[in-house]
Amino acid sequence: MLLTRHDVERLPVKDVLAALQRQPHPPGLVREAVELLLHRCAAERALPQAHQLHALMLATGALRSRYLSNKLVQAYGQCGDVESAHAVFACQPDPNVFSWMMLISACLRNALPRAALGHYRAMQLRGCHPDAHVVSAIFCAVADTANLELGRSITAPLASTAMLHDPVVANSLLNMYRRCGGMDDFERAFWAMPSRDEVSWTTMLAGRIQCGREASALELLRVMDQDGFRITSALTFATLVDACGNLSAIAQGRHLHDRIITSGVCIDVVLHTALLNMYAKCGRVDEARELFDQTLEPNNITFSSMVVAYARNGHFGDALKLFWSMEQDGYKPDSVTFTHVLYACSHGGFVDQAWHYFTTLEPDRGIPLVAEHFGCAVDLLARAGWLADAEKFLNRMPIPPDSVSWMSLLQACRIHRNVEIGARAAEHVFRLAPHRAGPYSLLSNIYSDAGKWDMAAKVQKLMRDRGIKKPGGRSWIEINGKTSEFIVGDSWHPDLVQICQEIQRVSKVMKEHGYVPDTKQVLHDAEEEEKEDILYFHSEKLAIGLGLIKTPPKTTISIVKNIRVCPDCHTAAKVISKVTERKIVIRDINLFHHMEDGKCSCRDYW
DNA sequence: GTAGGGTTAG
């Protein structure tokens, strides 16, 4: 029986194919059917049917049409068969710019950026001029390779053409610079754009967040507003929300949340979860939970977000309870979920639980163990003080331990004051993360805690000799929607005098409560009294000082720090929480410290 | 007649 157009549209792909193979059909209908079926194969990622279609096209001569041949290349690309895509392309006697585009996009879609770039060169050698579509695809290919020099060399010959004026090309170029880490080119390209649309702005925001310049990302929001730019996409808002979370800028975050609601943008699960994470990163667990409860269609990411929200904020038991309810409700935890669960276990001291999950993850759940899981296991052993076991474990891991895992051990060695293992752990971190200053400071502290001043000095000299600079301690505090930054040793602030007076006043009370400044934390060669002064100028203390004078009594003080909080500041902040009857939340590079009535949620282990 | 941009949530 002959097919009708109606059949071709309605019947399953395989039935149409079978009918076409069984008996000849009018060429017009075959052509039409082939085109439609190619489209359906591509949409359904149905590779076997694509192969059958290919055969049919050969048999019926449909493949002689360059148009249909291009469509077949496209379908193969979408079905993940680049080889077949290339084979079809190679049979074309006279490929046009579309043909090349299909081939290039097949490579891109299947993570073969180098091949895409090779075809780009080949097309030019064969005299086919790339258009804006091809060029934007090629910028994506360069972005995938993260090769900035390559990007520059490909862009240079295009600079004199009108190509870069195309808005899509310009945005792809911008994103290429971002993903290749060429942040100067990135900024320059952005400001040189003749016009910027929402994609340009979002790319810009993401770029600044990516390199830790969240504050300047939020400044862009002001520029956008001044330009009268209307944000219409949830993605743009999610990016901005992310910046607020990273800065723990709760007032700006809340303001943004209101604005999202009034903007009428559809708050999809992604944006909703971004907001949840923002509150969590601002230490507002209750508000995060509120959003979690309001989630219309939660998924495993929503659950995992809330699990880690609890865990990072010191609510380890709640994190585990939520995880159990997640499983009960039938949501399927994945590898990332278990990273959070193990984190909650190890920080909360649930050793048996942790080992249970760690050992059953692969055999019972089929979730492969990854570096993060091993890191948690190391942390677990090290926290319990089983440093030698932790070291043995690291040396016998089936995947080579990363610098983070060795750092866990090194940190544990500081807490448990183990010089020998600490020195070995530090060596590993030096090797695996040669530019990090953290391990040098930790090792030096371990030595000075043990009274080995000469060794401590040696480590510091080694650090200097290797040209490694300690990132200056920075702290942020947001007051009335404005973020103030304090940098250790360079803290200019209009209220500095008042802040220092407040710190001195409070420290008197603190000393009455038994606080002794831990001047060992000051590595300079200085008098004791001077060392105390240096401690007072640690950025987190200044930030707390500002919080004390600028916010009403009993208001929670929230600080963000760019490195780990120093042990003296940690002790001091705990005492301040007691003597001033304020909650103090410090988010450092690793975790939250919720301090209240002289105690910290981290249980003095960080 | 075919094709190109922000991977955004743990």
Side-chain angles (χ1 to χ4, degrees):
Chain A
M1 202 187 79
L2 281 183
L3 291 169
T4 63
R5 290 208 163 84
H6 188 61
D7 296 333
V8 173
E9 281 164 18
R10 283 185 48 233
L11 294 174
V13 175
K14 64 173 177 32
D15 294 347
V16 182
L17 272 167
L20 289 171
Q21 278 158 346
R22 223 171 1 219
Q23 70 182 118
H25 280 72
L29 184 100
V30 173
R31 241 185 106 88
E32 214 174 309
V34 163
E35 185 173 357
L36 193 78
L37 292 180
L38 279 170
H39 187 77
R40 284 169 66 177
C41 282
E44 293 163 24
R45 311 271 182 272
L47 183 58
Q49 278 97 321
H51 281 300
Q52 283 183 20
L53 256 173
H54 187 176
L56 183 78
M57 289 169 77
L58 275 168
T60 58
L63 203 55
R64 281 197 296 272
S65 147
R66 184 170 62 187
Y67 174 75
L68 289 178
S69 173
N70 286 348
K71 290 276 182 189
L72 181 60
V73 175
Q74 180 185 37
Y76 270 134
Q78 287 184 319
C79 294
D81 188 348
V82 183
E83 228 170 279
S84 299
H86 188 240
V88 173
F89 171 88
C91 290
Q92 290 192 2
D94 184 26
N96 63 3
V97 71
F98 285 101
S99 321
W100 287 103
M101 181 66 200
M102 296 305 158
L103 181 61
I104 287 170
S105 110
C107 296
L108 263 185
R109 193 183 289 277
N110 294 284
L112 295 167
R114 300 243 152 237
L117 289 158
H119 296 314
Y120 177 65
R121 272 186 289 274
M123 81 179 278
Q124 286 171 295
L125 286 174
R126 285 178 55 179
C128 182
H129 294 293
D131 61 9
H133 292 261
V134 172
V135 170
S136 65
I138 283 308
F139 285 155
C140 289
V142 175
D144 285 343
T145 67
N147 185 334
L148 180 60
E149 280 315 310
L150 179 68
R152 285 181 179 146
S153 69
I154 282 182
T155 312
L158 298 168
S160 56
T161 68
M163 195 75 85
L164 303 185
H165 299 305
D166 179 285
V168 177
V169 170
N171 284 336
S172 312
L173 177 68
L174 196 62
N175 199 38
M176 178 194 86
Y177 284 137
R178 180 183 73 79
R179 290 185 49 203
C180 294
M183 298 323 276
D184 293 337
D185 299 83
F186 174 73
E187 289 277 340
R188 208 175 310 128
F190 178 79
W191 295 113
M193 289 172 89
S195 66
R196 302 172 192 97
D197 61 15
E198 192 151 353
V199 175
S200 330
W201 284 107
T202 311
T203 308
M204 187 65 200
L205 293 169
R208 289 198 175 174
I209 293 171
Q210 173 189 308
C211 58
R213 297 176 52 214
E214 282 84 357
S216 70
L218 291 179
E219 273 165 32
L220 279 185
L221 178 58
R222 272 190 274 276
V223 180
M224 289 165 87
D225 290 340
Q226 277 163 13
D227 286 8
F229 193 89
R230 219 178 101 76
I231 299 174
T232 58
S233 142
L235 175 59
T236 311
F237 278 123
T239 310
L240 286 162
V241 166
D242 216 34
C244 294
N246 290 353
L247 285 174
S248 276
I250 183 65
Q252 291 176 87
R254 284 212 176 98
H255 181 238
L256 198 57
H257 191 173
D258 290 340
R259 190 168 157 177
I260 290 167
I261 291 167
T262 52
S263 78
V265 164
C266 167
I267 303 183
D268 57 10
V269 67
V270 176
L271 179 54
H272 185 81
T273 314
L275 285 162
L276 187 162
N277 286 309
M278 184 271 290
Y279 284 109
K281 284 182 179 176
C282 292
R284 306 306 204 268
V285 192
D286 295 343
E287 279 155 284
R289 177 69 204 216
E290 228 169 87
L291 281 187
F292 176 77
D293 289 332
Q294 290 164 5
T295 312
L296 291 177
E297 284 176 17
N299 55 31
N300 67 331
I301 298 185
T302 334
F303 270 95
S304 302
S305 300
M306 195 60 224
V307 169
V308 75
Y310 276 134
R312 290 250 157 78
N313 283 287
H315 302 239
F316 309 115
D318 290 329
L320 289 183
K321 267 188 229 152
L322 185 68
F323 166 68
W324 294 327
S325 79
M326 166 181 185
E327 288 215 286
Q328 254 165 16
D329 294 353
Y331 295 95
K332 218 173 145 39
D334 63 10
S335 174
V336 181
T337 316
F338 276 103
T339 305
H340 302 326
V341 170
L342 289 172
Y343 177 95
C345 287
S346 75
H347 286 253
F350 305 109
V351 182
D352 296 340
Q353 278 290 333
W355 273 114
H356 168 72
Y357 291 130
F358 185 76
T359 50
T360 57
L361 215 50
E362 235 165 29
D364 293 0
R365 297 174 184 263
I367 297 175
L369 288 168
V370 297
E372 284 82 2
H373 300 141
F374 284 102
C376 288
V378 171
D379 194 57
L380 191 76
L381 294 167
R383 267 167 198 275
W386 303 338
L387 301 175
D389 296 280
E391 189 184 20
K392 220 179 281 170
F393 181 87
L394 277 161
N395 282 320
R396 290 179 187 170
M397 266 168 56
I399 46 175
D402 58 4
S403 66
V404 180
S405 303
W406 284 109
M407 268 300 269
S408 298
L409 180 58
L410 182 56
Q411 279 159 30
C413 289
R414 176 179 68 78
I415 306 270
H416 296 291
R417 297 169 179 260
N418 186 313
V419 176
E420 245 177 72
I421 298 180
R424 286 199 292 272
E427 279 305 323
H428 284 286
V429 188
F430 294 160
R431 181 172 49 82
L432 291 165
H435 301 295
R436 283 189 64 171
Y440 289 92
S441 308
L442 271 173
L443 184 59
S444 162
N445 279 336
I446 290 173
Y447 279 129
S448 46
D449 277 346
K452 303 191 173 196
W453 309 105
D454 50 332
M455 288 303 287
K458 238 184 210 170
V459 173
Q460 285 169 50
K461 183 172 182 305
L462 190 65
M463 184 172 164
R464 276 195 304 275
D465 292 349
R466 291 181 180 171
I468 294 155
K469 287 211 177 69
K470 210 177 149 177
R474 287 165 189 242
S475 297
W476 295 269
I477 181 169
E478 189 201 53
I479 288 167
N480 299 329
K482 200 175 156 285
T483 302
S484 294
E485 182 183 45
F486 292 92
I487 305 171
V488 67
D490 175 33
S491 287
W492 185 88
H493 192 276
D495 301 308
L496 195 59
V497 176
Q498 254 182 295
I499 292 170
C500 292
Q501 284 168 347
E502 179 67 10
I503 291 174
Q504 269 163 2
R505 189 187 68 76
V506 174
S507 64
K508 258 187 215 147
V509 189
M510 287 161 66
K511 283 180 181 170
E512 287 162 16
H513 279 75
Y515 164 72
V516 183
D518 182 3
T519 47
K520 276 202 308 295
Q521 300 305 327
V522 181
L523 301 168
H524 310 267
D525 196 11
E527 298 297 324
E528 279 301 301
E529 209 171 301
E530 205 180 315
K531 283 186 177 179
E532 255 185 54
D533 289 344
I534 293 169
L535 278 178
Y536 291 146
F537 277 94
H538 273 184
S539 61
E540 53 268 56
K541 287 208 188 73
L542 295 172
I544 291 173
L546 185 67
L548 286 173
I549 59 173
K550 288 288 182 189
T551 59
K554 310 225 169 165
T555 313
T556 299
I557 295 177
S558 300
I559 310 279
V560 190
K561 190 146 197 249
N562 67 333
I563 52 178
R564 280 156 15 91
V565 49
C566 112
D568 177 67
C569 291
H570 191 264
T571 311
K574 283 194 300 179
V575 182
I576 293 173
S577 79
K578 191 178 176 68
V579 303
T580 63
E581 294 178 29
R582 283 175 184 258
K583 288 184 191 171
I584 297 177
V585 184
I586 303 178
R587 197 186 87 196
D588 76 7
I589 192 137
N590 281 341
L591 52 101
F592 278 95
H593 302 266
H594 284 261
M595 298 166 165
E596 190 176 2
D597 196 30
K599 292 190 195 71
C600 181
S601 61
C602 79
R603 306 171 177 197
D604 299 337
Y605 194 115
W606 74 97

